[in-house]
């Protein structure tokens, strides 16, 4: 009986471990998609005119911070003829920025565009997409364009979520991606499309 249990456990454990790993990465990708949707909802409802989602990491743990710029600050900048920037300075608390979300992601994942304590990646949304911007600081290396399945044109407006230690950059050679890789493509209007990389067919599949 013990030998039989050992054989069954030996067969089942790798599959369970694989399922658990994919489940965690998928869960994190769903969470990031929700962050984007929530940020866009803020501007479309008129709660705030400009919202920033910023990704950074420290000690291999990714952090997501969503900030909003109040209407009076936004209107003041427009009236003064200032350029609306998707920058930390523009959303700083000293400039009236309001923190809507501050959460850590799982340490078992990483994202692309890459983010670290010295590199960050931000996306900013406004109503109707007028002041939509994405910003990588520093701006190099550039984020390569990718054609996801179902899309008619390549896009640089995306986030890829993968397992820690694996390749996340789809523009560096998609054959390097593994089966536990998820993608989120977003538009200037806040519409998102979700994808999963098929390691068998070597292509992105809509989900």
């Amino acid at each position: 009986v013990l030998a039989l249990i050992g054989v069954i456990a030996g067969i089942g454990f790798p599959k369970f471990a694989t399922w658990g790993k994919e489940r965690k990465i998928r869960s994190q990708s769903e969470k990031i998609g929700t962050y984007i949707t929530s940020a866009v909802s803020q501007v479309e409802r008129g709660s705030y005119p400009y919202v920033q989602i910023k990704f950074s990491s420290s000690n291999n743990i990714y952090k997501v911070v969503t900030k909003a710029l109040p209407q009076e600050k936004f209107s003041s900048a427009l009236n003064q003829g200032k350029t609306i920037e998707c920058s930390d300075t523009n959303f700083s608390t000293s400039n009236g920025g309001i923190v809507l979300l501050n959460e850590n992601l799982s340490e078992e994942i990483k994202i692309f565009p890459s983010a670290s304590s010295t590199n960050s990646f931000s996306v900013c949304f406004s109503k109707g997409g007028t002041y939509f911007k994405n910003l990588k600081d520093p701006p190099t290396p550039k984020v390569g364009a990718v054609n996801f399945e179902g899309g008619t044109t390549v896009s640089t407006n995306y986030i890829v979520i993968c397992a820690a230690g694996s390749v996340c950059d789809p523009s560096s050679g998609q054959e390097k991606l593994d089966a536990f890789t998820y993608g989120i493509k977003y538009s200037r209007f806040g519409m998102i499309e979700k994808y999963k990389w098929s390691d068998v067919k070597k292509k992105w599949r809509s989900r």
Side-chain angles (χ1 to χ4, degrees):
V1 172
L2 291 176
L4 182 59
I5 292 174
V7 170
I8 293 173
I11 295 173
F13 182 76
K15 292 183 178 179
F16 179 79
T18 298
W19 175 82
K21 179 180 178 181
E22 181 173 7
R23 181 176 175 273
K24 288 179 181 179
I25 300 172
R26 182 175 68 248
S27 173
Q28 294 296 292
S29 72
E30 292 291 344
K31 185 176 287 190
I32 291 173
T34 300
Y35 293 153
I36 296 174
T37 301
S38 298
V40 174
S41 296
Q42 295 284 350
V43 297
E44 292 302 328
R45 289 201 309 262
S47 301
Y48 301 100
Y50 208 37
V51 175
Q52 178 201 53
I53 307 174
K54 179 181 176 181
F55 298 88
S56 61
S57 75
S58 178
N59 297 322
N60 297 319
I61 298 178
Y62 286 87
K63 175 180 286 189
V64 183
V65 178
T66 301
K67 293 183 180 180
L69 196 62
Q71 183 64 59
E72 61 270 20
K73 292 291 184 178
F74 185 77
S75 298
S76 175
L78 289 178
N79 293 335
Q80 294 176 34
K82 294 181 179 179
T83 302
I84 304 300
E85 298 287 349
C86 183
S87 64
D88 290 346
T89 301
N90 192 39
F91 287 92
S92 66
T93 52
S94 60
N95 194 44
I98 300 171
V99 178
L100 304 178
L101 174 78
N102 188 338
E103 287 192 11
N104 290 334
L105 297 173
S106 169
E107 61 183 13
E108 296 182 41
I109 71 158
K110 70 176 183 178
I111 64 171
F112 181 84
S114 58
S116 68
S117 57
T118 54
N119 295 339
S120 63
F121 174 68
S122 303
V123 186
C124 290
F125 296 97
S126 66
K127 193 167 186 177
T130 305
Y131 299 101
F132 165 81
K133 292 180 180 178
N134 55 25
L135 175 69
K136 192 171 186 300
D137 184 28
T140 53
K142 293 183 178 180
V143 177
V146 174
N147 190 359
F148 292 87
E149 183 186 47
T152 55
T153 57
V154 294
S155 174
T156 56
N157 299 331
Y158 63 83
I159 297 173
V160 172
I161 304 94
C162 67
S166 60
V167 174
C168 249
D169 182 358
S171 62
S172 66
Q174 297 193 128
E175 69 280 357
K176 300 177 183 177
L177 303 179
D178 65 26
F180 308 112
T181 305
Y182 288 82
I184 299 174
K185 185 171 73 170
Y186 53 87
S187 72
R188 66 185 304 112
F189 305 107
M191 301 295 293
I192 66 172
E193 298 174 17
K194 300 177 182 179
Y195 298 89
K196 184 178 186 299
W197 175 253
S198 172
D199 196 38
V200 176
K201 297 188 176 181
K202 301 299 180 183
K203 64 186 297 187
W204 290 99
R205 301 301 300 270
S206 179
R207 63 183 181 93

